[in-house]
Amino acid sequence: MSARPDPEAYAGPQPRPDPEAYADPEAPAAAPQPSPPDPQARAVRLGPRSVAALTLVSVIGVIAFGWPLLADSASGLAHSQDAPWLFAVLLPLLVAVVVATIADSGLDAKAVAMLGVLAAVGAALRPLGAGTAGLEPMFFLMVLSGRVLGPGFGFVLGSVTMFASALLTGGVGPWMPFQMLSMGWFTMGAGLLPGPDRLRGRGELLMLAVYGAVAAFAYGTIMNLQGWTYIGGLSSGISFRPGDPVHENLVRFLAYCAATSFGWDLGRAVLTVVLTLTIGATVLKALRRATRRAAFDAEVTFEQPTRARTP
């Protein structure tokens, strides 16, 4: 005798009970859970060895720029024919320190990729204003990049950008390592400005604009010091005279800057200020978004895979 089929076995899916129907209406409502905070865009970390490397290359750079002021006219060190030997030593040393900074700062593939992209953009921007009253839009990008990515990344970015632009424009010469040093300092200074995690909005843009203007003049002045010593021995009242007291040569140097490069530096400073105040907020936002997504300071952890259960 066959058993009767159970009608509940063929019943459709039963509706799930509504948990709110059994809830106590007098119970307090649960507080809404706060959304996770938006992570801050953190700069690439700067370790002790990176600080030591940057200090070393900066000290060597200062000596390379200023040694003609202290050289005796009878020693022969202040003559321009001896300068290429110093450049030949300075260039590989600068490249070696830059590579050491990249390795010590823990730059991964994402940071190196961002470094390459920003350096390519900066190198492409430089020829746009070359030869026109000092209008060089690459300085604006270097200021904002150094602000977001930090002093260590900024120094590397400034040096690599100047090196790439020299290759792009055919500007390779004895002045190139000095340009790399100067642009590295220029970009590193933006990363050392106060309030990287707190200051935002109009105040930050004004601070970056003021720094860009001052640093644009400082860059031109430093590069003038590098080229001014080549014209030593001329009869001009603003030329460099090897062996003269330092204060007398500095007075001539300031007159030389005012007479030859003030207009050029002024154009660079004005363009940097205008670009920072007009489109700086947009570029800063894009750089910070890219930095958050790259998560340069995230620690890489490895977990042991779990084995699947066997039935």
Side-chain angles (χ1 to χ4, degrees):
M1 184 175 179
S2 61
R4 293 182 179 181
D6 187 2
E8 295 183 358
Y10 300 95
Q14 299 296 325
R16 294 182 178 179
D18 187 5
E20 295 183 358
Y22 302 96
D24 187 2
E26 298 181 357
Q33 296 294 332
S35 57
D38 188 17
Q40 293 288 337
R42 298 188 180 276
V44 178
R45 64 182 180 87
L46 194 62
R49 288 180 296 180
S50 298
V51 173
L54 291 175
T55 303
L56 174 62
V57 70
S58 297
V59 170
I60 294 176
V62 170
I63 295 174
F65 275 106
W67 65 267
L69 297 175
L70 304 176
D72 187 6
S73 58
S75 64
L77 293 176
H79 295 98
S80 59
Q81 59 265 25
D82 299 326
W85 296 102
L86 177 63
F87 300 153
V89 175
L90 180 63
L91 181 58
L93 180 61
L94 177 62
V95 174
V97 174
V98 169
V99 173
T101 304
I102 294 176
D104 188 63
S105 298
L107 301 185
D108 56 3
K110 296 176 293 185
V112 174
M114 180 174 288
L115 174 66
V117 170
L118 292 176
V121 173
L125 287 176
R126 190 184 182 195
L128 297 180
T132 309
L135 302 179
E136 297 179 275
M138 68 172 293
F139 284 80
F140 145 78
L141 179 62
M142 295 297 103
V143 170
L144 302 186
S145 300
R147 171 65 173 175
V148 174
L149 298 169
F153 192 99
F155 183 86
V156 177
L157 175 62
S159 300
V160 173
T161 301
M162 189 57 69
F163 179 77
S165 64
L167 298 179
L168 181 64
T169 60
V172 178
W175 54 83
M176 187 180 67
F178 290 96
Q179 288 180 332
M180 294 172 64
L181 275 170
S182 300
M183 184 56 67
W185 290 333
F186 180 92
T187 314
M188 181 177 65
L192 295 174
L193 294 176
D197 298 327
R198 301 183 304 274
L199 186 59
R200 293 292 185 271
R202 196 68 177 177
E204 183 181 30
L205 292 178
L206 289 175
M207 181 185 66
L208 293 177
V210 172
Y211 171 80
V214 174
F217 279 99
Y219 175 86
T221 302
I222 293 175
M223 289 307 302
N224 284 338
L225 181 60
Q226 178 266 330
W228 178 60
T229 56
Y230 290 168
I231 62 175
L234 299 180
S235 58
S236 173
I238 59 175
S239 62
F240 171 65
R241 298 180 182 178
D244 279 11
V246 175
H247 67 277
E248 294 183 6
N249 272 324
L250 287 180
V251 171
R252 299 189 191 100
F253 174 67
L254 294 178
Y256 171 82
C257 293
T260 59
S261 66
F262 179 80
W264 190 276
D265 297 337
L266 180 62
R268 182 190 301 117
V270 170
L271 181 62
T272 303
V273 171
V274 171
L275 292 178
T276 301
L277 295 179
T278 53
I279 61 176
T282 303
V283 177
L284 284 174
K285 184 177 180 180
L287 289 173
R288 286 184 171 125
R289 183 186 302 115
T291 304
R292 283 195 299 268
R293 293 182 177 180
F296 296 138
D297 58 342
E299 297 182 359
V300 180
T301 58
F302 298 93
E303 296 182 357
Q304 185 175 3
T306 57
R307 297 181 179 180
R309 295 182 178 180
T310 57

